[in-house]
Amino acid sequence: MKKRICALLAFFAVCALLVLPVSATETQPSDKGINSPEFSSMVEEENTPVVYVDSAKGSVGDLITVSFSLGNVEGFTSGSFAIQYNPYMLQYEGFEASETIRGANVYYVATEDTGAGKTDLAGNIAHDVRIGLLHLSEFPATLSTCDVGTITFRAIGGGTCDLEVTAMDFAVNSQEVEPRVNVGVVEIEGETASTWDYDAITTTLVSVGSDNPYHVQSADGIPTAAKIAIVIAIVAVIVLVVLLIARGKNYSDEEEQENEPQKAKEEEPVKDAADAPAETQAEEEKTEDPSPTDQKE
């Protein structure tokens, strides 16, 4: 009995030794996203909104994931972003929103057309990730610093690939604001790929800055107020068309009801002679055929 107890204690001790290193690793803070020292430094330097993308390392063939984060964004209402990359080095695989964003009344959209051989609207090889955010009211203090989500790429060529972030529009308290953004860098080991001119083949309505970190023009896109006005106008036109169609249908039904008696009268079949009663036919024959006496006279 004692031997069994000792054996069990030894087994539990070994299990504990195996678990402890794992637990220690899991509790270590991440250096990505809002936990990145570079991100923290940008947020603390000044009270300007920050748009941040991580840097990363990998080898050709690896899946590489970077965080997309915001800082100093209390009162943020909406924004749209483009993250440009070298398509000879990275292939976009997808975007996944964070649990924080999914549970915070934030509507988001992101590029979904992934994979090799994809092109943009201009016919150029796909080279950017689009992300749009809209809060039902505005970001509360709890979202002043938050990870928006993660972007995953497949490394397809070696070299140093910039992830250039551009805020096409950025509104805080419904007012256009110019955020501070950074350039993430992905270092990829493997056969060196072709270079990419970020300025020659650029996303529509996107201007790329030159300093690092750099500020971008935030008024290149359509203003938020104009977007709202356009949506309202489209809805009004649709409602008007539906009402006109419904009214036209009512007029058509009324005309058909008025014309039904006249139409029925016009379409009433004329009785054929063959359908006339026998007595009527006899009278007609009698009228038409003269009697023998009349013929004699």
Side-chain angles (χ1 to χ4, degrees):
M1 183 68 179
K2 291 182 179 180
K3 290 183 178 179
R4 291 183 180 179
I5 294 174
C6 292
L8 287 173
L9 291 175
F11 174 76
F12 288 133
V14 171
C15 290
L17 291 173
L18 292 174
V19 170
L20 285 175
V22 175
S23 300
T25 302
E26 291 178 349
T27 56
Q28 288 179 356
S30 170
D31 60 350
K32 300 295 184 181
I34 60 176
N35 295 317
S36 166
E38 183 182 21
F39 174 83
S40 300
S41 176
M42 291 177 64
V43 170
E44 293 172 1
E45 281 181 7
E46 53 184 308
N47 195 31
T48 302
V50 172
V51 180
Y52 182 83
V53 172
D54 281 330
S55 295
K57 295 181 179 181
S59 301
V60 173
D62 291 348
L63 284 175
I64 297 175
T65 299
V66 297
S67 295
F68 178 67
S69 310
L70 299 177
N72 295 332
V73 289
E74 182 177 353
F76 173 82
T77 50
S78 64
S80 57
F81 312 91
I83 297 93
Q84 298 188 78
Y85 55 90
N86 182 339
Y88 300 124
M89 295 183 184
L90 294 177
Q91 177 180 292
Y92 173 62
E93 294 292 328
F95 170 82
E96 183 177 355
S98 67
E99 293 183 2
T100 302
I101 290 298
R102 289 200 298 266
N105 293 325
V106 178
Y107 288 97
Y108 65 92
V109 293
T111 301
E112 294 183 350
D113 197 8
T114 64
K118 300 298 181 182
T119 56
D120 61 17
L121 296 177
N124 300 313
I125 182 173
H127 60 280
D128 66 358
V129 182
R130 299 291 189 97
I131 298 173
L133 300 173
L134 174 65
H135 195 279
L136 292 179
S137 56
E138 59 185 36
F139 274 30
T142 54
L143 288 180
S144 178
T145 299
C146 64
D147 283 328
V148 175
T150 55
I151 306 169
T152 301
F153 297 97
R154 172 79 66 181
I156 58 176
T160 300
C161 179
D162 290 340
L163 300 177
E164 295 192 340
V165 186
T166 302
M168 293 183 287
D169 59 77
F170 192 96
V172 176
N173 297 321
S174 300
Q175 299 294 322
E176 288 292 330
V177 175
E178 185 177 315
R180 186 182 181 189
V181 303
N182 80 305
V183 175
V185 178
V186 179
E187 297 180 3
I188 307 169
E189 294 183 359
E191 185 177 352
T192 303
S194 300
T195 58
W196 179 258
D197 191 334
Y198 288 82
D199 294 316
I201 305 177
T202 187
T203 304
T204 306
L205 300 179
V206 172
S207 59
V208 179
S210 56
D211 54 330
N212 183 10
Y214 59 84
H215 291 73
V216 298
Q217 298 297 324
S218 59
D220 293 336
I222 301 174
T224 303
K227 294 178 182 178
I228 296 174
I230 292 172
V231 171
I232 293 174
I234 292 173
V235 172
V237 170
I238 293 173
V239 172
L240 181 60
V241 170
V242 171
L243 290 176
L244 290 176
I245 292 174
R247 183 171 295 180
K249 183 177 180 182
N250 291 337
Y251 286 152
S252 177
D253 293 342
E254 290 176 1
E255 290 179 358
E256 289 181 0
Q257 291 177 1
E258 292 176 357
N259 294 333
E260 279 181 0
Q262 181 67 23
K263 186 176 180 181
K265 186 175 180 180
E266 292 176 354
E267 294 179 353
E268 183 178 353
V270 179
K271 292 184 179 181
D272 196 354
D275 298 333
E279 295 179 359
T280 305
Q281 292 184 6
E283 290 179 359
E284 290 178 354
E285 291 176 356
K286 184 176 180 180
T287 303
E288 293 175 357
D289 297 335
S291 63
T293 307
D294 293 337
Q295 290 180 2
K296 184 176 181 180
E297 292 179 356

